[in-house]
Structures are given as C-alpha cells and as structure tokens.
Amino acid sequence: MSDLRDDLQRRAAALDAADVLAKRRELFALDDSAVYLDGNSLGALPCHVPARVADVINREWGDLLIRSWDESGWWTAPERIGDRIAPLVGAAAGQVVVGDSTSVNVFKAVVAAARLAPESRDEILVDATTFPTDGYIAESAARMTGKRLVPVAPADLPAALGPRTAAVLVNHVDYRTGRLHDLPGLTAAAHAAGALAVWDLCHSAGALPVGLDAHHVDFAVGCTYKYLNGGPGSPAYLYVAERHQAAFDSPLPGWNSHTDPFGMTPGYAPADGAARGRVGTPDILSMLALEAALDVWDGVAVETVREKSLALTDFFLECVDAYVPEGRVVPVTPAAHAERGSQVSLRCDGGLSAGEVMRQLIARGVVGDFRRPDVLRFGFTPLYVGFADAERAARVLAQVLAETPGEVPA
C-alpha cells in the first residue's frame, strides 16, 4: 500500500505542477491545512471581497448614502452583473438579470413559460429527481396557471413530451448524484414537441460549459453562491432568451421592472430586455460582493475549468478505488464524462452512516457534505481544488472507513 500511495502522491504533485489554473488558488481565503470539497454548496471566499464590501459599507453607503444609486452604479447592478455571468453560461449580453433567490426566479420562469404556451397545452413536466424546492415551486406555478404538473425522470422526458406539454423544468446537474443531464438534447426534444425548456443551472454554472444561446434554451435560473463564489445567500440570476423578452409576462411585476420606475404610476408597463425580470429593490450589499467575487473569472475559460474538473474527479475516483476497501462505498456519479458534473457522490454500503462518516472526515480536515440517508458528496471546484487535495481526501476517507463500524459484504 505504501508504494501505491507514494505513486498516487507523485502523480498528484505532477498534475498540480502542470495545472494552468493552479495560481488561481492564491485568490481565495482558504485554510491550507484542510481540503475544501464543498464548493458545490458554498464557494470559497475570494481574498479581495472583504475590502470591496467594506468600501461599499463605509464609503458608498456611509458617505455617499442615497447618491450611490447613481454615483456608485447601484441601480444598474442587476443587469451589469448579469452581463458578467452571461459568458459563464454561454449567453450574450442583455439576457441575464441578477436578483432575488433561485426559488423566486424558478417561479418567474415557469409561470412565464406556461403563459407563453397555448391554452391547449395544459401540462408542465418537472424533473422528478429535482431539488425539492424546484418541485414545490413548479407545483405552485402549475396551480396558478391552470396547468397539471407531471413529474418525470429526465431520461423519460422525450417520451413524455407531447401536444399537451407547455414547458419542462429540468436540473442541469442532479444535486444528489452529480449526474449531468443532456441540456442540448432535452431542449431540442422539448422544442420539437412545441414546448419551452427551463433549466436550473445551480450545480453547473461555473463548473462546465452550458451554452444557453447555442442550444436555444428558453429560460434558465441559477444561484451564485456555489461555483461562482458569491457568498452565502448571494442573489440568483434569471436568463430570458432575447426572442422571448418582449412577451415575457412575469408573475411578479414590481416597481423595479417598470419601464418608468420613478413615475409611480398605478398601471404596470414592463421594461424592455432583461430588466423585465427585476422585481423590488436590489439587495445591494450581497449583490456587490458577488460582483467582486466574479473577478476571479477574469481571463479564465470555462472549457479549461471543465477539463480540470473531469481530470480531478477521474483522479479522485481512481484514488478511492485504490485506497478504500471494496464494498464500503459505491460511486453513484456516472463514470462517463458526458454524464458527470463537477462532484462525486459515493453511497455508503454495509450499514454505514453517511452523516457519521462525513463528521469524521471534517474533523480530520476533509470538508464535504452528505445527503440522507447514505450519500457522501464531494464537490470539486477547479479554481481552488488541486490533485493533491483529491488524493488526500480519498486517503483520509479510507482511514475513516477502516475505523468506522459497518457490515462489509462478503
């Protein structure tokens, strides 16, 4: 085992030395004594963000006060930051607006998609494996628009589409397993059936190419606190394809999305473009922290990030296979690159508690998370995770499992 460990550690060091993204790690406030593999839940803090937030608080809010809406660019922040996110999801400028939570933006997108469909299309299909909130929101949107919600496994969506389908809501990457769903193929299938496609990008944006414009996606939503490192509770974003903007009928028309917000007229007249997706006053402190956090993407191609992500997850799985005794964990993340996001999920077998295993891992400096009842999740954020991190995480996992009671299959 020592020879195998030495070989894997040498390979990890060589891979890190050749990594074109390795210098990016210096941009993040990370504890080098720990391995952080939970960026798929909360991204690390970019080092320069605290100073930017302090300036927003002390100067823009403290000194300039109300003048900052104009002088500091607060009013235009939702569209300006949206245009910075747009290249990361494969969108041209003017189609992404930042604000509200992912849940709120899912509601806007699904209701708007349903309203664009003819009345005869009375079904909304939703990813049956989706993050629960998406399902809750889709059900409420269906009730509001007089549609019927139909949960469908992503693999079964093409067969379920038909003349009654108004819209489909799908997660690009499954939050539990890390499975990457076929955004181009499922979008094309929805369009062929006359339906609109709404995608949740929470677990893909910032980790892999998305191609919203190239694949003719209709609506998309996503959070910014995972791979985009925007900070806890940072505002989400909404993508509305340019071809739908004139007809986009938001179920949450607010004064911020009015064509003349300061006219204070009783009747609502929607603004043009992505601004139609705004609702109320922007959450400026977290929004400007997000804007600063996006600086770490300057000069980085998402394709390069994807290349490293796949190499990292491949290497981690190889290390797990080498170190962990057979039967203790089983990968549930697909091996095929075309079906894998940027996380690896392992199912604990033999009566092991995923929660207890993860607590032991965190106590030893390997930070991931788990999903009940038996799934360990390890998120690989290529901007700051290295190959030595992957090797250490697998090695410590093997140590924890060796010391954790459980039934090992014969």
Side-chain angles (χ1 to χ4, degrees), residues 220-247:
V221 302
C223 66
T224 60
Y225 48 78
K226 300 182 191 294
Y227 296 108
L228 298 183
N229 311 298
S234 56
Y237 57 89
L238 169 68
Y239 164 88
V240 181
E242 185 177 11
R243 65 187 179 279
H244 293 311
Q245 289 179 359

Side-chain angles (χ1 to χ4, degrees), residues 41 164 332 352:
S41 281
R164 298 180 62 180
V332 295
L352 292 172

Side-chain angles (χ1 to χ4, degrees), residues 24 27 46 48-49 52 72-73 76-99 205-206 210 212 223-224 227-230 235-239 274 286-302 383:
R24 292 279 155 177
L27 302 178
H48 68 289
V49 169
R52 173 60 179 135
S72 300
T76 58
E79 291 81 38
R80 182 178 72 243
I81 303 171
D83 283 346
R84 292 193 65 182
I85 291 173
L88 301 178
V89 293
Q95 299 177 99
V96 179
V97 64
V98 172
V210 177
L212 293 180
C223 66
T224 60
Y227 296 108
L228 298 183
N229 311 298
Y237 57 89
L238 169 68
Y239 164 88
S286 58
M287 190 168 289
L288 297 187
L290 165 63
E291 182 174 34
L294 291 171
D295 290 347
V296 300
W297 287 94
D298 291 347
V300 176
V302 179
L383 293 185

